[in-house]
Amino acid sequence: MDPYDLVARNTVEIVTEEELRSTLAEPVKRVYAGYEPSGEIHLGHLVTINKLIDMKEAGFHVIVLLADLHAFLNRKGTLEEVRELAEYNRSCIEAVGLKGAEFVIGTDLQLNPEYQLNVLELSQQVTLNRATRSMDEVGRTMENPTVSQMVYPIMQMVDIAALDVDAAVGGIDQRKIHMLAREHLGAIGRKPPVCVHTPIVQGLDGKKMSSSAGNVVSVADSEDEIRKKIKKAFCPPETAENPIIEIFCHHIFPRLGRVEIRRPEKYGGDREFDTFASLEVAYAAGEIHAMDLKNACAEGLVEVLAPAYEFIMSCKRG
């Protein structure tokens, strides 16, 4: 696939397309995404992980920031708790398919004097209202935000400078913080990053994805657990706002490239699909029953997540 098309697929926005094309032409190019260590890696995380895999194939050096200090500031646990999770999440991210990336622990990057001086300098550039708005979709309990959560977006801006990256990947909920970076990084002598934004996918029940709501598939789920969850998932006749269709789009086709619907001859027999678009059209036309679609989805996820699940099981056995 053309490098630009590879980076752009399954995104909702690239800021800007011209800058991305220019960056792709450079012999050395660096991209990062940050993850708060706060639990199991699940399908929500995998949307951006899959995009990092795409960008690595497109020639980018990929950096994963395991943002333990950000998680602490965002009230996700003590520093000790999130640091321990960071190491675990790193192994899971590698096991799920992101090989050869550079992993950076937040506290290893962010506690030096130069970094902190840049945070203080940029804090003079950003109003309290703007910082609060930038955290609306990523902050915890933002009806009563803490000062630490106002530091969070400014640190994320400085991460881009400190990691010396050309591009930043994140869900569309990261857009306001990324736009702050594009607007203000010039104050510390850095160019704005290309921003690659992926969609926020739904939970299995068609509502907001949340581990606490139990509407996610995680790398710690067994094959049987995955099949049970997918069997119960919301799957309307329409393809829009259909979590099963989203899984095929963002997780199964990018990783496997092909899907087989297995069913008895009396129901039309087996069918193979080499593109997501062809599957989407067939389902929308009523050519595939929802349960057949779910069965294929479950088997695809089992295959995609198998290496990470095996890693987790080996840790438990050890």
Side-chain angles (χ1 to χ4, degrees), residues 35 41 49 64 66 89-98 103:
Y35 299 92
I41 298 298
I49 292 170
V64 175
L66 297 166
N89 285 167
R90 169 182 178 157
S91 297
C92 290
I93 291 170
E94 289 180 316
V96 86
L98 184 55
F103 287 82

Side-chain angles (χ1 to χ4, degrees), residues 17-282:
E17 295 179 4
E18 293 77 11
E19 291 173 14
L20 174 59
R21 292 187 187 278
S22 177
T23 301
L24 283 167
E26 296 295 327
V28 177
K29 40 198 171 284
R30 294 161 59 88
V31 62
Y32 103 106
Y35 299 92
E36 287 186 16
S38 60
E40 295 289 355
I41 298 298
H42 56 67
L43 293 187
H45 302 107
L46 281 169
V47 175
T48 50
I49 292 170
N50 287 337
K51 182 49 52 190
L52 292 176
I53 292 172
D54 285 344
M55 296 186 77
K56 189 173 186 300
E57 291 183 18
F60 279 86
H61 174 73
V62 172
I63 301 169
V64 175
L65 178 65
L66 297 166
D68 56 342
L69 194 51
H70 279 88
F72 172 66
L73 293 174
N74 202 18
R75 301 193 271 184
K76 297 290 182 70
T78 68
L79 268 177
E80 293 75 17
E81 290 169 341
V82 294
R83 181 61 183 260
E84 183 177 349
L85 268 174
E87 297 293 347
Y88 171 68
N89 285 167
R90 169 182 178 157
S91 297
C92 290
I93 291 170
E94 289 180 316
V96 86
L98 184 55
K99 308 294 186 184
E102 177 185 350
F103 287 82
V104 177
I105 301 294
T107 45
D108 293 342
L109 174 75
Q110 298 158 343
L111 296 179
N112 68 73
E114 182 182 359
Y115 183 100
Q116 292 301 323
L117 282 172
N118 282 332
V119 168
L120 294 174
E121 184 167 353
L122 286 176
S123 71
Q124 294 182 310
Q125 307 288 323
V126 180
T127 66
L128 188 59
N129 284 340
R130 187 82 182 275
T132 304
R133 289 200 306 272
S134 74
M135 287 291 289
D136 283 345
E137 296 184 64
V138 299
R140 173 169 285 189
T141 59
M142 286 303 292
E143 66 276 4
N144 188 30
T146 61
V147 173
S148 69
Q149 290 170 300
M150 301 302 97
V151 177
Y152 184 113
I154 298 171
M155 286 180 56
Q156 192 165 333
M157 294 160 62
V158 179
D159 291 338
I160 292 169
L163 293 170
D164 191 27
V165 295
D166 305 289
V169 168
I172 194 64
D173 58 341
Q174 298 284 323
R175 187 184 195 279
K176 291 178 182 178
I177 296 177
H178 285 167
M179 293 307 102
L180 277 180
R182 286 183 59 84
E183 183 177 340
H184 292 292
L185 279 180
I188 56 172
R190 305 295 304 190
K191 68 176 183 178
V194 176
C195 298
V196 179
H197 295 141
T198 57
I200 305 302
V201 296
Q202 303 176 88
L204 296 178
D205 54 2
K207 300 176 183 178
K208 183 178 179 180
M209 183 177 289
S210 168
S211 295
S212 60
N215 62 357
V216 302
V217 172
S218 84
V219 297
D221 288 334
S222 69
E223 294 183 9
D224 287 343
E225 287 172 324
I226 291 172
R227 293 185 181 106
K228 288 177 183 177
K229 286 184 175 183
I230 296 300
K231 185 177 181 179
K232 296 178 181 178
F234 177 60
C235 187
E238 301 80 19
T239 57
E241 298 185 6
N242 183 325
I244 298 299
I245 291 292
E246 288 184 348
I247 290 171
F248 278 107
C249 177
H250 293 286
H251 302 297
I252 295 176
F253 273 99
R255 302 293 290 275
L256 303 182
R258 175 180 161 278
V259 166
E260 185 173 5
I261 304 290
R262 295 184 177 275
R263 57 191 180 180
E265 286 296 331
K266 64 179 180 179
Y267 296 125
D270 296 347
R271 287 191 63 177
E272 293 185 5
F273 297 92
D274 293 325
T275 66
F276 167 71
S278 62
L279 176 70
E280 185 180 30
V281 168

